[in-house]
């Protein structure tokens, strides 16, 4: 992760090719977030898209975060 300014993390949104629309969860501690709402009962395979929101609380510079090599872990029961 790289960042500039002070960014307060808000939420992480996720969608897959197996659901319509987006589901979200609050940003978790340690840069880990668990999302299960609207994903229970869906297939684990597919295409995933992530969308992160945060608030710039720094008045000194524009804020941004860049994440590289994001790891998405899918747990499922069958």
């Amino acid at each position: 992760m790289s960042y500039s300014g002070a960014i307060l993390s808000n939420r992480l949104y996720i969608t897959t090719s197996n659901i319509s629309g987006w589901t979200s969860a609050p940003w978790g501690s340690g840069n880990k977030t668990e999302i299960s709402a609207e994903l229970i009962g869906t297939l684990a395979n597919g295409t995933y898209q992530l969308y992160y929101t945060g608030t710039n609380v720094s008045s000194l510079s524009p804020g941004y975060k860049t994440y590289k090599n994001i790891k998405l872990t899918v747990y499922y029961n069958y």
Side-chain angles (χ1 to χ4, degrees):
M1 175 181 77
S2 63
Y3 62 94
S4 172
I7 306 293
L8 175 64
S9 297
N10 293 335
R11 296 188 80 76
L12 179 70
Y13 296 85
I14 188 169
T15 189
T16 77
S17 55
N18 299 316
I19 64 172
S20 61
W22 293 80
T23 187
S24 69
W27 191 252
S29 63
N31 284 335
K32 293 183 179 180
T33 298
E34 291 187 15
I35 297 176
S36 60
E38 298 185 30
L39 297 175
I40 295 174
T42 62
L43 298 173
N45 64 335
T47 303
Y48 289 79
Q49 294 179 2
L50 302 173
Y51 181 76
Y52 161 89
T53 63
T55 302
N56 181 5
V57 294
S58 172
S59 61
L60 300 177
S61 64
Y64 65 88
K65 282 188 176 182
T66 302
Y67 289 90
K68 295 181 181 178
N69 301 320
I70 295 172
K71 181 179 179 182
L72 175 65
T73 305
V74 177
Y75 297 97
Y76 61 94
N77 295 318
Y78 57 93

